[in-house]
Amino acid sequence: MTLQTEIPRANLASLASKALRHKSFIAGFLVTLLVAGMASLSFLWTPYDVTRLVISDKLQAPSTLHWFGTDHFGRDVLSMIMIGARNSIAVALVAVGIGLGLGVPLGCWAAARGGLVDEALMRLNDLVFAFPALLSAIMITAIFGPGAINAIIAIGIFNIPVFARVARAGALAIWPREYILAARAAGKSKVLITLEHILPNIATLLLVQGTIQFALGILAEASLSYVGLGAQPPMPSWGRMLFEAQTRMVQAPWMAIFPGMAIVITVLALNLLGDGAADILDPKSRRRR
């Protein structure tokens, strides 16, 4: 029997109880839920139309009409943050999906095969790590031009070796165990063993790592947008909002404060969520707080 394929209801109740008592997890979960809800709401409604330029309302301070003020084109900052949230979430989500979809099979394959295959895949991982997401985006942009799709590709490529290493490390710790040896003695193939035993046992590792990479993906998307390689106008982006605010820090500080706070709070919430999930799902975790 594997660790994850059959979980007694008592264990599920225990996990739920731990989650409800874990302050960091609850705080991260609630803030993440709030950001996701704000992004979802922007598909149906925003206080103002961000594609409409109202020069007469430019650089207005926060008020009852514009809670977060307006920018140099008269656009409502709150509305832009709401739409920017869905852009950041979409980019990070797809990028993490690319990393999971390609990195996990590669890591499991390397652990199962071992030898030259394992060594070759790990050295290839090291090569990909030498090109961070920003540098990859610059190279991709030089060929295909800037845009959200290219940002997704760049961040996704950087996520592949991350998940490959996590999957490989987790799988290598499981392959020597007795029930794996018994499965091999029963004639099961390495592919079947990986699907039935390895993946269920490393699912929690991948879940926690996925949460961390999701936060890093949002930060990377903001960085790419800041240098003009992410989502292009008129689509709002938190990173580009910071870029546009940098020359107006004294005249209109709210243009930088609110998108900056959105990035910090979202990334912090996701890190709290991932850290809390690691504590809850790992019975051996004894982290000091």
Side-chain angles (χ1 to χ4, degrees):
M1 181 185 300
T2 64
L3 180 64
Q4 301 294 334
T5 51
E6 294 185 14
I7 303 179
R9 292 184 179 181
N11 287 353
L12 291 176
S14 176
L15 289 176
S17 177
K18 289 180 180 178
L20 292 175
R21 293 196 307 267
H22 202 290
K23 296 180 180 179
S24 296
F25 179 83
I26 291 297
F29 176 77
L30 291 177
V31 175
T32 301
L33 190 63
L34 177 63
V35 174
M38 180 177 65
S40 301
L41 179 62
S42 70
F43 284 102
L44 303 174
W45 174 85
T46 56
Y48 295 88
D49 182 3
V50 298
T51 62
R52 182 185 177 189
L53 307 183
V54 186
I55 304 302
S56 59
D57 292 341
K58 69 177 183 179
L59 301 180
Q60 289 191 5
S63 64
T64 54
L65 291 177
H66 300 279
W67 289 3
F68 289 179
T70 61
D71 69 356
H72 55 300
F73 290 128
R75 296 173 297 183
D76 182 64
V77 173
L78 174 59
S79 300
M80 296 178 67
I81 288 177
M82 291 175 65
I83 296 178
R86 79 187 189 202
N87 177 65
S88 296
I89 290 175
V91 170
L93 190 63
V94 176
V96 169
I98 292 173
L100 277 169
L102 297 178
V104 173
L106 286 175
C108 291
W109 184 39
R113 291 295 300 273
L116 184 60
V117 172
D118 184 18
E119 186 67 21
L121 285 174
M122 289 305 100
R123 298 295 74 76
L124 181 61
N125 271 358
D126 293 339
L127 179 62
V128 175
F129 266 129
F131 297 91
L134 183 59
L135 182 57
S136 299
I138 293 174
M139 293 188 296
I140 293 172
T141 301
I143 301 173
F144 302 106
I149 299 299
N150 294 334
I152 290 173
I153 295 173
I155 301 172
I157 290 174
F158 186 75
N159 280 335
I160 293 173
V162 174
F163 284 104
R165 285 180 176 274
V166 172
R168 173 181 177 270
L172 286 176
I174 296 171
W175 273 104
R177 295 186 179 179
E178 290 79 3
Y179 60 86
I180 300 296
L181 298 177
R184 297 183 66 179
K188 287 188 177 181
S189 66
K190 290 185 177 181
V191 174
L192 192 58
I193 291 174
T194 298
L195 293 175
E196 291 185 353
H197 301 284
I198 303 298
L199 284 176
N201 277 284
I202 64 174
T204 55
L205 292 175
L206 298 175
L207 175 63
V208 172
Q209 189 63 43
T211 306
I212 295 172
Q213 293 305 122
F214 190 81
L216 294 177
I218 289 179
L219 196 59
E221 189 279 331
S223 301
L224 294 175
S225 296
Y226 182 84
V227 296
L229 301 179
Q232 299 299 299
M235 177 63 70
S237 171
W238 291 347
R240 197 173 66 255
M241 290 175 69
L242 288 176
F243 173 77
E244 294 173 349
Q246 65 181 346
T247 58
R248 299 174 177 84
M249 291 294 295
V250 176
Q251 185 181 11
W254 57 86
M255 287 180 59
I257 291 175
F258 291 114
M261 288 177 59
I263 295 172
V264 171
I265 291 173
T266 303
V267 172
L268 176 61
L270 287 167
N271 278 312
L272 289 175
L273 186 64
D275 185 67
D279 286 345
I280 293 167
L281 295 173
D282 184 4
K284 297 181 181 179
S285 178
R286 295 292 185 270
R287 298 187 181 183
R288 294 182 179 180
R289 297 188 178 276

